[in-house]
Amino acid sequence: MTLAPYASHDATSRGRRYPEASPANRSEYQRDRDRIIHSAAFRRLEYKTQVFINHEGDLFRTRLTHSIEVAQIARSIARALGLNEDLTEAIALAHDLGHTPFGHSGQDALNECLRDYGGFEHNLQSLRVVDVLEERYAEFPGLNLTFETREGILKHCSPRNARELGELGKRFLEKTQPGLEAQLVNIADEIAYNNHDVDDGLRSGLLVLDQLKPITLFAGQYDEVLQRYPDIPPRRAIYETIRRMINQVVTDLIENSRRRIAQSGIQDIEDVRRHPEPLIAYTPEVAEKSRELKRFLRQNLYAHERVTRMMGEAVQIVRQLFEAFMKDASLLPPQYQEKLRQPNGAGAQARIVADYIAGMTDRYAMREHARLLGRPGAPRPGE
Ligand code: MG
């Protein structure tokens, strides 16, 4: 498969922070992907919450299966558009590496704890994981990934943090675009969670079918499925509907992006970066339908009383762990205490504690909490 001229190419890569010889039998971006798969942070995704805490059931998505679904959707789109599939996969598999335990609640709690120390952004933390926190290689800190993979990982960034990131932070200050692979993973992420959260939401019973019937994306496909297969069992009707929903938005995205790329006249990745707006985009109609679904999930699933109650307890766990480690650094594992002995300047302890907590899986955080605070730390579903 030949790459389009405006795709990311090894030859035009902005390179790695620590120069390395090119790999013998792989592309640069394959090597990035391989390093991500071998990282500890990647394995931890298995026990980190997407929406449902891990012990609620074995069938629910975790951050690991979510990341694999994002990679699948993103690679399909990349191949259809002649973009770099290896880079796309690397970005997709790494995009959530910086997530704290307990999903967005854990992140908000940690951000609050770090209010006086520069805050906590999970996107920036993903970058920190691959740039600094993974210690696996003899010749450099982190995974030493290419600029393009790092550019894709850093989806958002506050201007203050962007200023400290040099070349990588520039686009947030100059309001330019990342490469097309980064743009498409961003949307593939949303496609994956919008659809798998409908599935998980229905399976858990937190959502019921009747609530989804007025939602345009769902209704369009569901009605057609029932018309074509009137005797279909209910679970299969839902799977068939969701698979068609994914197909509908992916098809729209591919066709519309192809049109936009053709009309824009871009020739290479630097043109992509300079273009005033992202080129990977839905048609306005599908963008609106997708927003409608997202709104629905926010109001009915993420804000569901059972989810918020569990997440409220998760916030307590994160906050109390942070306070305990700030008060008594000797509670930290030896390698983190070692980091504290290095001259790091003000706020160093807070950042080191945050790195430790952010790296925890849900169950590890609960166990640490129970160990240090002597209280049962595990929020239980339905309690
Ligand atoms: Mg994600």
Side-chain angles (χ1 to χ4, degrees), residues 260-275:
R260 286 167 66 90
I261 290 168
Q263 284 164 0
S264 71
I266 51 155
Q267 299 295 326
D268 59 23
I269 186 169
E270 293 309 323
D271 288 349
V272 171
R273 287 183 172 129
R274 273 191 299 266
H275 199 74

Side-chain angles (χ1 to χ4, degrees), residues 50 63 66-67 70 95-96 99 155 189 193:
Q50 189 68 27
R63 273 198 195 277
H66 162 72
S67 300
V70 174
H95 85 281
D96 271 352
H99 260 287
K155 279 190 289 195
D189 183 21
Y193 65 67

Side-chain angles (χ1 to χ4, degrees), residues 33-48:
R33 189 242 358 247
D34 298 349
R35 286 181 180 176
I36 290 158
I37 287 178
H38 288 280
S39 70
F42 183 69
R43 287 192 297 282
R44 291 200 192 106
L45 294 176
E46 183 174 4
Y47 297 103
K48 291 195 182 199

Side-chain angles (χ1 to χ4, degrees), residues 282-340:
Y282 295 127
T283 56
E285 303 78 66
V286 167
E288 177 42 42
K289 288 179 194 170
S290 169
R291 276 195 296 274
E292 180 197 22
L293 177 58
K294 211 170 170 171
R295 251 191 327 267
F296 168 81
L297 287 168
R298 203 180 316 125
Q299 287 162 3
N300 296 283
L301 182 61
Y302 313 143
H304 191 287
E305 186 263 327
R306 237 177 80 195
V307 173
T308 52
R309 181 153 21 119
M310 257 187 315
M311 291 308 170
E313 293 178 47
V315 165
Q316 289 301 319
I317 292 180
V318 168
R319 199 175 291 152
Q320 290 171 0
L321 281 176
F322 183 83
E323 283 163 10
F325 292 127
M326 285 303 279
K327 204 152 64 183
D328 183 0
S330 73
L331 296 173
L332 288 165
Q335 67 272 32
Y336 286 89
Q337 291 188 41
E338 180 53 38
K339 287 182 189 175
L340 272 177

